[in-house]
């Protein structure tokens, strides 16, 4: 069975998650807009419109889902452009045996902001474990008018709802109030005030999302910027891979990169039966006692000799394999013009310093 790699978004009219850039879905939504009418469509959710949209989706063979499940492997911010406008997006990555699902939501939306508050808790307590994202419209009557809240739900591995971290909505509200104060004194109309308040809240939750991403990178769950690029195409760097002794489909991998400042960073990864069991990124490459280099993760590590031979360790025990791997340029590095491989230059400098080094030296 082929694994999927899909981008999904929450559609407030369908009150469900729909695939992005899917031909059948786009056709169905176009038909639904025409059937409902532009004026009614812009008014937003109602149960009648939800049922109508879902029926048209089914008629066109387009799928909708009321929840998305998988291991919480990433929370990030993305900036997209369309129609001359720039949009801030929340991206949530879920992985399962069926593949990867990325949820995209407008950062300014009520759904995204409610979800971010829950993700603040989830990234501390459930990062890398199974979660389920859901959403639904909640209708309320006030002063003879119907208001709709678009509620985000997030459940942990035990099926229990994850509580939103406290303080986010109060902080965003206070920031908006501060931004509006001088504008109100100038007599700005309600439409301008509403846009400024929305933009202020959007900026606040964007910054929160960036913090959640950094938290997951530090946990070794979400990929670093370099590794994100590598997923799109190999990022220039040097790698070594060790297959465990015969009888086990287990691999240890070391990837080393030089950042813009020329400092060496590394990631360690262990896979077993093609499933990742350990990953830690953004690790410092330190000088070893014997003139080589060392990389240490939590419970795992690697040593790079002056000859670039690599030894892997679980705890203090060396991992044994059929072959002795060496750190070599990956495909992207090999395609670089002569003299442009920053990683090779940094490795040559660090490994060529011999045993008299003292910067970053282990003691």
């Amino acid at each position: 069975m082929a694994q999927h790699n899909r981008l999904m978004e929450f559609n407030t009219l369908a009150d469900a998650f729909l695939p992005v850039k899917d031909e059948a879905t786009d056709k169905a939504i176009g038909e639904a807009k025409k059937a409902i009418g532009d004026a009614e469509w812009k008014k937003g959710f109602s149960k009648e419109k939800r049922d109508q949209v879902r029926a048209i989706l089914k008629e066109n063979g387009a799928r909708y889902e009321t929840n998305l499940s998988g291991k919480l492997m990433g929370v990030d911010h993305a900036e997209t452009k369309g129609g001359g406008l720039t949009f801030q997006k929340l991206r949530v990555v879920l992985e399962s045996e069926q593949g990867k699902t990325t949820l995209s939501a407008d950062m300014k939306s009520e759904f995204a902001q409610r979800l971010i508050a829950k993700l603040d808790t989830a990234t501390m307590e459930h990062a890398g474990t199974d979660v389920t994202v859901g959403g639904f419209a909640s209708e309320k009557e006030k002063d003879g008018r119907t208001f709709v809240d678009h509620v985000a739900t997030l459940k942990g591995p035990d099926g229990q709802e994850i509580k939103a971290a406290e303080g986010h909505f109060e902080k965003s509200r206070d920031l908006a109030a501060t931004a509006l104060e001088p504008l109100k004194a100038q007599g700005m109309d309600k439409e301008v005030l509403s846009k400024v308040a929305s933009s202020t809240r959007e900026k606040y939750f964007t910054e929160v999302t960036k913090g959640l991403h950094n938290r997951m990178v530090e946990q070794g769950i979400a990929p670093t910027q370099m590794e994100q690029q590598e997923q799109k195409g190999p990022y220039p760097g040097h790698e070594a891979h060790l297959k465990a002794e015969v009888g086990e489909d287990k691999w240890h991998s070391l990837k080393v990169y030089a950042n813009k400042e020329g400092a060496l960073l590394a990631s360690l990864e262990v896979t077993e039966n093609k499933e990742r069991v350990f990953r830690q990124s953004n690790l410092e490459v330190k000088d070893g006692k014997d003139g080589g280099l060392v990389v240490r993760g939590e419970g795992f590590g690697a040593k790079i000799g002056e000859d670039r031979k690599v030894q892997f360790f679980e705890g203090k025990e060396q991992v044994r394999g059929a072959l002795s791997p060496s750190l070599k340029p990956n495909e992207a590095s090999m395609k670089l013009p002569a003299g442009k491989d920053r990683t090779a230059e940094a490795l040559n400098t660090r490994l060529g310093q011999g045993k008299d080094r003292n910067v970053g030296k282990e003691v």
Side-chain angles (χ1 to χ4, degrees), residues 308-320:
R308 285 177 169 71
K309 294 288 186 182
V310 177
Q311 297 175 320
F312 290 93
F313 293 85
E314 290 189 11
K316 295 183 178 180
E317 295 294 323
Q318 184 179 346
V319 178
R320 301 295 177 183

Side-chain angles (χ1 to χ4, degrees), residues 3 74 105 108 118 123-125 129 142 148 157 183 189 231 258 265 273 283 304 306 328 335 339 343 347:
Q3 289 195 326
K108 66 181 179 182
K118 291 177 179 287
T123 53
M124 288 189 289
E125 299 177 0
T129 64
K142 185 177 180 181
V148 179
L183 299 178
D189 61 36
Q231 290 171 3
L265 299 174
N273 297 320
L283 298 169
I304 306 167
E306 290 180 306
K328 296 178 181 179
K335 290 181 178 179
T343 305
L347 283 167

Side-chain angles (χ1 to χ4, degrees), residues 11-14 33 36-50 137 139 145-150:
N11 184 288
T12 55
L13 268 294
K33 284 183 177 179
I36 292 171
D38 190 58
E40 279 300 315
W41 187 271
K42 289 180 178 178
K43 289 180 182 178
F45 175 87
S46 72
K47 292 179 180 179
E48 294 74 20
K49 281 182 273 189
R50 176 198 63 193
E139 293 181 313
R145 296 178 60 190
T146 300
F147 295 87
V148 179
D149 292 332
H150 292 287

